[in-house]
Amino acid sequence: MMLDRLRDSGFEVEFTNHAQAIMLHDFPDLIDELEGALLNISLPMTEIIGGGGGEAKMTQRLRRGLAALQWSKHNFEMKKIVDGVPKESVSHEIDHVRRADSGTVALEIEWNNKDPFFDRDLENFKRLHAEGAISIGGIITRGSEMQATMRSRVEKFATDRGIDSFDGLEEFGAGSPTGPQRRQIEADIARGADFATAWSRKFVADKFGQATTHWAKLQDRVARGVGNPCPLILIGLSPSIIDMSA
């Protein structure tokens, strides 16, 4: 199957509206480019717990890898002109656009954002496809297994590294929890949880909660028809990219 190396590595892959046939026949070279870029990424656990504001380092590395393959940022601008007079102008910025002789593929990476960003991406793809500006839209986000096991992986990292206090978090750049976060962690510890369990539970709930971008939230929108009829490639990141030793 197409992108079978990704599937073998635990990635989730789904196509809608004949996107698989379009990619296979019109963009065969881009399949290898996309697959290679994703198989080459690594996500150290220290980046997961130590990431602050701004774009994640893993996302930056993936963006650089795609950009090197000419998957570049592009701002699509559509204008309505009546008798030579501009009446309306709408722009859609897409993070990664790959052009080929047979058409154009647009791609967004939503590693960890607020889930309404999925609506924005899918509606942008819908409009651009309707205007003939793109052939296919794609979204990369956290896969279901990564989402489901994130808390246990963070807890294991904390346990293996002997993080048993708030002071111990600073060594790994996790930062100090806010007052309300600290009180909830302390309350869990008072009820019998150890520090790694109490902290990882609160940390993951706040940083990678259900209201963020992950596979289930993307699937919900696609099932409702958001973005239709634009052909889509949906890719869920595998937990295999997480490096627990780094």
Side-chain angles (χ1 to χ4, degrees), residues 1-239:
M1 295 179 66
M2 189 189 309
L3 301 177
D4 56 351
R5 287 192 297 158
L6 287 183
R7 292 187 175 92
D8 290 344
S9 295
F11 288 74
E12 288 163 287
V13 181
E14 182 174 317
F15 300 91
T16 73
N17 299 323
H18 306 289
Q20 184 169 1
I22 295 170
M23 286 294 294
L24 184 62
H25 291 95
D26 292 346
F27 305 103
D29 294 339
L30 305 195
I31 296 171
D32 291 337
E33 290 181 1
L34 185 57
E35 193 168 50
L38 287 167
L39 289 174
N40 284 330
I41 61 174
S42 176
L43 176 59
M45 180 55 76
T46 50
E47 289 185 10
I48 291 179
I49 70 168
E55 190 170 69
K57 293 180 180 178
M58 182 275 294
T59 304
Q60 294 174 17
R61 289 193 296 274
L62 178 55
R63 292 200 191 287
R64 288 195 295 269
L66 288 168
L69 297 170
Q70 300 180 49
W71 293 73
S72 306
K73 180 177 289 190
H74 182 72
N75 190 47
F76 291 91
E77 186 174 7
M78 295 184 290
K79 294 181 178 180
K80 180 179 180 180
I81 300 176
V82 179
D83 289 337
V85 179
K87 295 293 184 179
E88 182 180 356
S89 178
V90 178
S91 63
H92 304 284
E93 185 176 81
I94 304 296
D95 283 338
H96 298 281
V97 173
R98 183 66 164 91
R99 299 186 186 278
D101 292 340
S102 51
T104 301
V105 179
L107 180 70
E108 296 282 12
I109 303 170
E110 298 294 0
W111 152 248
N112 190 32
N113 223 324
K114 297 297 183 183
D115 68 308
F117 276 78
F118 282 146
D119 298 293
R120 180 206 65 176
D121 296 340
L122 293 168
E123 288 299 326
N124 280 346
F125 291 158
K126 176 181 178 178
R127 286 188 283 269
L128 291 169
H129 181 260
E131 296 295 336
I134 66 171
S135 306
I136 292 179
I139 295 180
I140 299 170
T141 191
R142 295 196 307 277
S144 56
E145 184 180 357
M146 179 183 283
Q147 178 70 10
T149 61
M150 185 65 78
R151 195 202 64 76
S152 63
R153 292 172 187 275
V154 171
E155 180 180 348
K156 184 178 188 305
F157 180 87
T159 300
D160 291 349
R161 298 299 178 95
I163 302 175
D164 56 6
S165 68
F166 294 113
D167 290 340
L169 295 172
E170 295 182 4
E171 178 183 349
F172 301 98
S176 179
T178 64
Q181 290 171 334
R182 183 183 290 260
R183 287 191 290 273
Q184 183 168 337
I185 293 168
E186 290 172 340
D188 279 354
I189 293 173
R191 288 191 290 267
D194 60 26
F195 182 84
T197 300
W199 169 74
S200 63
R201 181 183 297 144
K202 182 59 177 170
F203 174 81
V204 172
D206 287 350
K207 187 170 182 178
F208 300 102
Q210 290 303 307
T212 59
T213 49
H214 58 91
W215 188 255
K217 288 292 187 177
L218 180 56
Q219 291 290 296
D220 287 345
R221 285 159 170 81
V222 172
R224 296 200 310 266
V226 181
N228 270 343
C230 180
L232 299 171
I233 302 176
L234 312 176
I235 299 176
L237 293 169
S238 168

